Each structure stands twice: as structure tokens, then as C-alpha cells.
């Protein structure tokens, strides 16, 4: 019922309290103790509720930041594709207009082939 304290220990505690405080003061002490325990319970519930609210707000902030990071990554990918396509278009236009009859030099963006290895 009260953890490691059994009924004999409770009776002993009650008798000692009765002897120390007397029969007139004991009910008043019991009420005060009950009020104190109720106030402690209310305070601990309030603290628990506050902590849970803060955790929930933290989760919402993390979710918002993750969404923002995802959006920025998507925009960066779109920008990279736009730059790559415009660079490829301008490079192809300048090579075609520079020397149509001459051989075009090898594209510097692609690495030269590696050594041929026998199979």
C-alpha cells in the first residue's frame, strides 16, 4: 500500500505522533499534511504539463526548420540545373559559331579516357 512501509510501521508512526503532538493537535497536523501533499501533487502536475508543452513546441520548431531546409535544397537543385543548362547552351553556341569547318577541340569538362587494360 505505501511501498516498503507496512501496517505495523504505520501504527507505530501514528502512536509516536500521538504521544509527541497530543490528541488535540494531531487532526490539525493531518489536515495540514493532506493540504501540503495535494499542493505538491498540483505543482508536479503543472510542471509536467509545462515540460510536455515545451517539448511539443520544440518538435514543431524542428519540423518547421526541416521543411525550410528541404525547400532551400530544392531551390539550390533547381538553380544548379538552370546554371548547368545555360552553361551548356552557351558553350554549344560558341563552339558552333567559332569554327564550323575546323575540328572542335575535346570538351574540357569530361576527363580523358584512362589507360586501356587487357581483359
Amino acid at each position: 500500500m505505501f511501498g516498503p512501509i507496512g501496517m505495523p510501521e504505520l501504527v507505530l508512526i501514528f502512536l509516536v505522533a500521538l504521544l509527541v503532538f497530543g490528541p488535540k493537535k494531531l487532526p490539525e497536523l493531518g489536515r495540514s499534511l493532506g493540504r501540503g501533499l495535494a499542493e505538491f501533487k498540483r505543482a508536479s502536475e503543472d510542471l509536467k504539463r509545462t515540460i510536455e508543452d515545451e517539448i511539443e513546441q520544440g518538435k514543431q520548431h524542428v519540423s518547421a526548420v526541416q521543411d525550410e531546409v528541404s525547400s532551400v535544397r530544392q531551390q539550390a537543385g533547381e538553380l544548379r540545373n538552370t546554371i548547368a543548362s545555360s552553361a551548356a547552351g552557351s558553350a554549344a553556341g560558341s563552339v558552333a559559331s567559332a569554327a564550323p569547318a575546323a575540328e572542335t577541340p575535346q570538351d574540357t569538362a569530361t576527363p580523358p579516357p584512362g589507360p586501356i587494360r587487357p581483359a
Side-chain angles (χ1 to χ4, degrees), residues 24-76:
K24 292 183 180 179
K25 198 77 166 165
L26 201 55
E28 185 179 316
L29 287 173
R31 280 190 292 275
S32 297
L33 183 63
R35 287 184 196 128
L37 288 175
E39 182 64 31
F40 178 76
K41 185 177 179 180
R42 275 193 296 269
S44 64
E45 291 286 329
D46 187 40
L47 179 65
K48 181 181 175 183
R49 199 173 316 114
T50 302
I51 290 172
E52 288 173 350
D53 290 345
E54 290 295 324
I55 289 172
E56 187 61 36
Q57 286 179 355
K59 286 180 182 179
Q60 290 173 356
H61 287 299
V62 167
S63 177
V65 169
Q66 286 175 339
D67 291 344
E68 187 67 27
V69 167
S70 175
S71 172
V72 169
R73 282 185 179 165
Q74 182 181 5
Q75 290 174 356

